[in-house]
Amino acid sequence: MKTSLKWIKDLVPGLEVTPQEYMDAMTLSGSKVEFYESMDADLDKIVVGQIKEIAPHPDADKLVICQVDIGSEVIQIVTGAPNVFEGAKIPVVLDGGCVAGGHDGSKTEGGIKIKKGRLRGVESNGMMCSIEELGSDRDMFPEAPEYGIYIFPDDTEVGANAVEVLGLDDSVVEYEITSNRVDCFSILGIAREAAATFKKEFVPPVVTETGNNEDVNDYIKVTVKDTDLCPRYTARVVKNIKIAPSPEWMQRRLRAQGIRPINNLVDITNYVMEEYGQPMHAYDLDTIAGKEIVVRRGEKDETFVTLDGQERKVDDSVLMICDGEKAVGLAGIMGGENSMITDNVKTMLFEAACFDGTNIRLSSKKVGLRTDASGKFEKGLDPNNAIEAMNRACQLVEELGCGEVVGGVIDIYTKKMEGRRLPFEPEKYNRMLGTDISDEEMLTYFKRLELGYDKETNEIIIPSWRQDLESYADLAEEVARFYGYDKIPTSLPSGEATTGGLTYKLKIEKIARTVAQFCGFSQGMTYSFESPKVFDKLLLAENDKLRQAVVISNPLGEDFSIMRTLPLDGMLTSLATNANRRNKNVRLFEMGNVYLPKQLPLTELPEERMQLTLGMYGEGDFFTMKGAVEEIISQVGMDGKLTYDPQAGKTFLHPGRQANIVYGDTVIGYLGEVHPKVAANYNIKERVYIAVLDMPEIVERSNFDKKYEGIAKFPAATRDISMVVPRDVLIGQIEDVFDKKGGSYLESYELFDIYEGNQILKGFKSVAYSLTFRAKDKNLEEEDITSAMNRILKALEEMGIQLRK
């Protein structure tokens, strides 16, 4: 949103501030100013001069010598401008003055300094200016010549400040307005905020009654078929149209807003749109068939040519403005080429309406056309503003002599929008803000904002144009911004809540992340949405339960059309990316959910299970991954023994290098080497290892209750045992024998050697353990250790294990 600072000052008398002071104060009061630009920043010592005499230059065919009256004196200026003539009133920059740039519109920081000098031997005491050298262009001043000096009208005062005459003594302020402050997308809305900010009186334009003794209903009939999309439609008629340029004061204000003046009728609609924030449209009434306006939805595959000459395709979701036979406008977006205002217009129909903001936004996107009008409508305008803007436009028509306004107004307003009432609760506002502002001071702020107060009901009366005020928190914000955010003291929040902290589940997950990072794994995050093709890449059987995934109803595409049921695709994709970029020794982990439907089609939300996924390639192997898993299990307080079941049956893992991770009788995860075919599917040429831990099972079994045991007082005794073991016997089975047969004196055991080779019988392996025995209350005797070893050896022999000799 942009505004002319001079225009704001005209609406707020007594507002004498610099652009910087205005910017700072408005930002602090909540109307954030992005920046401001002074239109005359690079202009200095430029006056209106009149050429009294022109003589040829003695040494240059294309230069002339002009005697120029600047009011206080006559000076001599040499120029090469082709359009100068005696009597012409032109802008003159005096010796020591500055201009903005050249004929090409280029600008220089700080302007171009002009000094008196000699041109081809003839003295020149200044310079005549083109419109570009004054910091503007022919879009804003279409009467300016393409090449040459700008010529003022004949009635311009000689010696006057040329910058002021052109209306360039202004600053344009750019705001960042949030979409809920619809009222501030207008000059009047910003001026109201400025008046409240600087504690000045807001003086809006006084709109007078217009219209002759005729009845507008004799000229036009209006029918609104879709009142849900058009809650209000107003129309008035102007006859005996006289097209002419708009007055200079209006042109100046429009130029400051960045709008090119065209003619009085077009300028009035643009002016009112900027002033009231209410878009308007004008139709040539003679082109309206049947002298009837119908507001209806478009028809399927209907086409329409807009004012810009483009054919637009619409459907029944787009609201159209039609006459008795055809469409004449896209509601809230742009009028039609078939009803455009031309210089031959005699009778004009003025339209000011309120349309559904959401529908305008969607329609604008659908037809591929966004305009200033649609940008305002899509924010949701106040319907009560439509008739005010209409009456203002008709007042300007009469004041500017554009035509004769027909009496009466067509106003179709099905459900009037009323303002709301909110209870006045100063204690709540102070408690929320941490302030101690009196009731009277708060009411003063509200009065400056034109919010009413009903003393009998103790309610604040909210006008319809303040749609953003819906609760006591909104009113507290109004108090805060006019009291001054910088004045609000620092205070601690109060409440009855206990000290915050992580839940037990989150603590366990945090520990798991920390241990994974300690083991050299870096955290990653992948999408929960996947492609159904993932199941084939992971070699899942056609009847595998994991293929039963939740399907997204509005997916971004096939690659993101289901919710993942296992976490491997994201991990393997990330490892593949690193491998393809030639990163070595990569270790990644992810803590993320999988989504397991209880039944399909869904009748209830799927089960979400948090899974810790570890993945690596490069340095390390199956046992490296196994060690990382055991470190995590240990650190989360699971003191029981882990066992590994090689019959995991995971199709995506190597058949001989995989295992379920078992704690007690429960499978809490799995680990192994990725199947070579799966690795090839992900274009990974390295051996890849993964581990997955089911966090709900781990959280349930974690325990941080520690029991202190004193330092052993008696020495330990060790025995080494070397065995020849059948290859199908697992290490875990041997350790089960130690646990069950070792007795109370067996303190610990440690595997220190596994060997398979030529010295060992085929189908067997050599396994060696070191067993430590200790009693807590005495020194062990040899027979205590021997009896325990005998029990162990006997159980091992029953498993086909023999002592190695």
Side-chain angles (χ1 to χ4, degrees):
M1 175 65 191
K2 294 181 179 179
T3 69
S4 155
L5 185 54
K6 284 186 68 176
W7 197 347
I8 297 296
K9 289 181 176 181
D10 289 343
L11 294 168
V12 187
L15 181 59
E16 300 297 332
V17 292
T18 65
Q20 186 64 50
E21 291 171 340
Y22 178 83
M23 172 178 168
D24 293 342
M26 290 293 283
T27 298
L28 282 175
S29 69
S31 302
K32 183 183 178 184
V33 177
E34 290 286 294
F35 63 88
Y36 72 87
E37 180 181 8
S38 295
M39 298 169 66
D40 59 352
D42 299 330
L43 307 179
D44 186 33
K45 297 180 70 174
I46 304 176
V47 299
V48 177
Q50 184 173 26
I51 300 174
K52 292 296 186 182
E53 182 181 338
I54 299 177
H57 193 289
D59 294 324
D61 295 338
K62 294 185 178 180
L63 297 179
V64 293
I65 304 169
C66 301
Q67 305 301 318
V68 181
D69 180 8
I70 59 171
S72 58
E73 60 178 316
V74 176
I75 62 174
Q76 179 172 289
I77 297 177
V78 178
T79 182
N83 65 324
V84 294
F85 57 90
E86 292 182 355
K89 294 183 177 180
I90 39 81
V92 177
V93 56
L94 304 179
D95 178 35
C98 289
V99 293
H103 286 281
D104 60 355
S106 60
K107 292 191 177 183
T108 303
E109 186 71 26
I112 299 174
K113 198 84 169 177
I114 303 299
K115 296 182 179 180
K116 65 180 180 179
R118 302 181 74 85
L119 289 179
R120 301 293 293 270
V122 177
E123 183 178 351
S124 181
N125 297 308
M127 186 183 82
M128 303 178 193
C129 303
S130 67
I131 197 62
E132 288 80 10
E133 289 164 331
L134 294 172
S136 191
D137 54 48
R138 295 183 66 247
D139 281 341
M140 294 296 111
F141 293 85
E143 73 277 10
E146 185 175 0
Y147 301 103
I149 303 304
Y150 183 79
I151 307 296
F152 285 110
D154 293 339
D155 58 353
T156 307
E157 179 186 354
V158 174
N161 186 323
V163 175
E164 293 181 2
V165 171
L166 290 169
L168 299 175
D169 56 331
D170 198 356
S171 294
V172 178
V173 184
E174 175 85 31
Y175 308 82
E176 180 185 320
I177 305 298
T178 54
S179 58
N180 65 327
R181 287 302 306 273
V182 181
D183 58 302
C184 286
F185 286 92
S186 67
I187 296 292
L188 294 180
I190 293 294
R192 187 182 291 110
E193 288 288 311
T197 299
F198 292 97
K199 302 179 183 179
K200 301 292 183 181
E201 183 183 5
F202 170 53
V203 183
V206 178
V207 180
T208 55
E209 185 177 347
T210 56
N212 58 21
N213 295 327
E214 296 179 274
D215 186 356
V216 67
N217 293 288
D218 296 334
Y219 285 80
I220 190 72
K221 175 187 176 184
V222 177
T223 303
V224 179
K225 291 187 176 181
D226 294 280
T227 55
D228 57 326
L229 301 183
C230 179
R232 191 172 197 181
Y233 189 96
T234 67
R236 297 194 73 175
V237 171
V238 178
K239 66 179 186 177
N240 301 325
I241 298 294
K242 299 175 183 176
I243 300 292
S246 54
E248 190 61 34
W249 64 266
M250 180 176 285
Q251 292 190 36
R252 290 177 185 174
R253 288 182 173 178
L254 291 175
R255 289 187 191 112
Q257 295 296 112
I259 299 175
R260 179 171 63 94
I262 297 176
N263 59 49
N264 48 9
L265 284 180
V266 176
D267 290 354
I268 284 172
T269 59
N270 287 332
Y271 184 87
V272 173
M273 182 173 71
E274 294 298 310
E275 188 175 46
Y276 280 81
Q278 171 66 52
M280 301 188 67
H281 191 68
Y283 301 94
D284 186 341
L285 188 60
D286 293 332
T287 65
I288 303 298
K291 297 298 182 285
E292 179 182 15
I293 289 291
V294 179
V295 183
R296 61 163 175 83
R297 293 175 183 267
E299 298 175 356
K300 186 178 181 181
D301 296 330
E302 183 177 357
T303 58
F304 177 70
V305 180
T306 48
L307 275 172
D308 57 3
Q310 299 294 313
E311 185 176 86
R312 313 283 176 177
K313 189 175 181 179
V314 303
D315 57 25
D316 58 3
S317 68
V318 179
L319 193 65
M320 306 292 293
I321 309 297
C322 308
D323 61 16
E325 299 175 354
K326 61 189 179 300
V328 294
L330 292 174
I333 302 175
M334 184 178 280
E337 189 178 53
N338 54 12
S339 61
M340 66 185 296
I341 295 292
T342 66
D343 292 343
N344 299 320
V345 62
K346 300 299 181 184
T347 308
M348 178 190 68
L349 174 68
F350 254 145
E351 168 195 281
C354 184
F355 303 110
D356 178 75
T358 302
N359 178 262
I360 295 298
R361 176 177 59 82
L362 295 175
S363 298
S364 177
K365 186 176 180 180
K366 180 165 292 185
V367 301
L369 178 61
R370 194 171 189 272
T371 60
D372 288 342
S374 68
K376 292 183 182 295
F377 276 122
E378 66 188 25
K379 293 175 176 64
L381 299 184
D382 174 17
N384 295 326
N385 198 40
I387 193 64
E388 296 178 21
M390 172 64 77
N391 291 336
R392 173 64 167 160
C394 290
Q395 177 192 25
L396 291 171
V397 165
E398 289 195 348
E399 288 181 357
L400 305 186
C402 300
E404 182 182 352
V405 179
V406 173
V409 58
I410 293 178
D411 186 4
I412 299 176
Y413 197 1
T414 53
K415 184 178 180 181
K416 187 173 182 181
M417 183 176 180
E418 302 286 354
R420 61 173 63 90
R421 288 172 172 253
L422 293 176
F424 179 50
E425 302 170 300
E427 298 83 6
K428 266 191 176 182
Y429 310 153
N430 278 323
R431 188 164 58 250
M432 172 175 280
L433 301 175
T435 54
D436 186 19
I437 306 172
S438 66
D439 299 6
E440 293 75 16
E441 190 172 357
M442 291 184 187
L443 289 173
T444 301
Y445 300 152
F446 294 154
K447 184 177 180 181
R448 279 161 38 193
L449 290 166
E450 298 188 12
L451 307 183
Y453 175 60
D454 188 333
K455 190 173 182 179
E456 292 184 4
T457 61
N458 192 38
E459 290 178 319
I460 302 297
I461 304 171
I462 313 296
S464 60
W465 40 264
R466 283 304 302 271
Q467 300 175 23
D468 59 306
L469 300 182
E470 298 178 338
S471 68
Y472 83 91
D474 298 321
L475 291 178
E477 182 183 7
E478 299 301 293
V479 171
R481 65 194 188 96
F482 289 106
Y483 175 73
Y485 290 114
D486 54 327
K487 297 178 184 178
I488 297 177
T490 301
S491 59
L492 294 174
S494 60
E496 299 177 356
T498 57
T499 303
L502 296 177
T503 64
Y504 185 77
K505 170 180 175 292
L506 293 179
K507 287 180 181 177
I508 298 299
E509 292 176 1
K510 182 179 179 182
I511 291 172
R513 289 189 184 95
T514 302
V515 175
Q517 290 170 339
F518 173 79
C519 294
F521 292 81
S522 299
Q523 184 167 9
M525 183 177 293
T526 60
Y527 292 114
S528 296
F529 298 165
E530 291 184 337
S531 167
K533 298 176 183 177
V534 167
F535 302 133
D536 294 331
K537 292 176 72 174
L538 294 175
L539 308 181
L540 292 186
E542 289 297 329
N543 60 349
D544 196 306
K545 192 174 181 181
L546 292 174
R547 285 182 176 267
Q548 298 178 14
V550 178
V551 178
I552 308 299
S553 60
N554 56 341
L556 297 174
E558 185 183 7
D559 290 343
F560 303 96
S561 60
I562 63 170
M563 303 294 287
R564 65 183 176 189
T565 57
L566 71 171
L568 297 183
D569 178 65
M571 176 59 67
L572 292 175
T573 300
S574 298
L575 291 172
T577 300
N578 280 275
N580 292 333
R581 293 176 181 173
R582 299 183 180 179
N583 292 329
K584 298 181 179 179
N585 304 321
V586 174
R587 296 186 180 189
L588 299 175
F589 81 92
E590 179 185 13
M591 189 78 74
N593 282 329
V594 294
Y595 304 86
L596 306 175
K598 298 172 184 177
Q599 62 180 32
L600 290 175
L602 286 177
T603 57
E604 56 182 314
L605 292 175
E607 180 185 8
E608 298 184 28
R609 296 190 73 85
M610 184 66 72
Q611 310 256 283
L612 173 61
T613 308
L614 305 172
M616 72 177 194
Y617 67 80
E619 189 176 295
D621 55 16
F622 179 94
F623 298 101
T624 306
M625 183 65 82
K626 178 172 173 283
V629 169
E630 291 179 350
E631 184 67 21
I632 292 172
I633 296 301
S634 173
Q635 291 298 319
V636 298
M638 295 171 67
D639 296 330
K641 185 179 177 182
L642 282 182
T643 57
Y644 299 89
D645 178 8
Q647 306 302 320
K650 307 295 184 186
T651 57
F652 43 81
L653 295 180
H654 192 294
R657 299 167 189 160
Q658 61 173 281
N660 278 333
I661 304 168
V662 183
Y663 186 81
D665 297 327
T666 304
V667 176
I668 62 171
Y670 54 86
L671 80 161
E673 181 183 331
V674 174
H675 197 292
K677 289 185 178 180
V678 174
N681 289 339
Y682 285 89
N683 197 26
I684 305 175
K685 298 177 182 179
E686 309 257 1
R687 285 191 172 187
V688 183
Y689 300 91
I690 60 101
V692 177
L693 294 176
D694 191 42
M695 293 307 295
E697 298 289 354
I698 289 175
V699 171
E700 182 180 342
R701 289 162 177 78
S702 62
N703 188 350
F704 294 105
D705 293 335
K706 302 294 183 181
K707 184 177 180 181
Y708 171 74
E709 293 186 1
I711 298 173
K713 297 179 181 180
F714 299 95
T718 61
R719 295 290 186 271
D720 292 343
I721 179 172
S722 181
M723 302 163 282
V724 178
V725 181
R727 287 190 62 184
D728 59 351
V729 175
L730 303 178
I731 296 298
Q733 292 174 286
I734 296 174
E735 293 180 352
D736 283 342
V737 170
F738 295 159
D739 291 333
K740 294 176 181 177
K741 303 299 183 180
S744 60
Y745 295 147
L746 180 61
E747 183 179 72
S748 63
Y749 47 82
E750 182 180 359
L751 173 70
F752 66 84
D753 184 57
I754 296 180
Y755 174 74
E756 292 183 54
N758 295 331
Q759 291 96 341
I760 306 298
L761 291 173
K762 188 175 182 181
F764 287 81
K765 57 189 174 184
S766 173
V767 178
Y769 271 91
S770 178
L771 285 71
T772 301
F773 296 88
R774 190 197 308 266
K776 296 181 180 179
D777 55 354
K778 67 174 184 176
N779 285 321
L780 288 176
E781 302 290 339
E782 180 63 30
E783 61 185 46
D784 296 328
I785 300 173
T786 302
S787 62
M789 289 297 298
N790 289 336
R791 291 194 302 270
I792 291 173
L793 294 173
K794 183 178 180 183
L796 292 175
E797 289 175 0
E798 292 174 356
M799 297 170 61
I801 299 173
Q802 301 175 7
L803 288 179
R804 187 175 180 188
K805 300 178 182 179

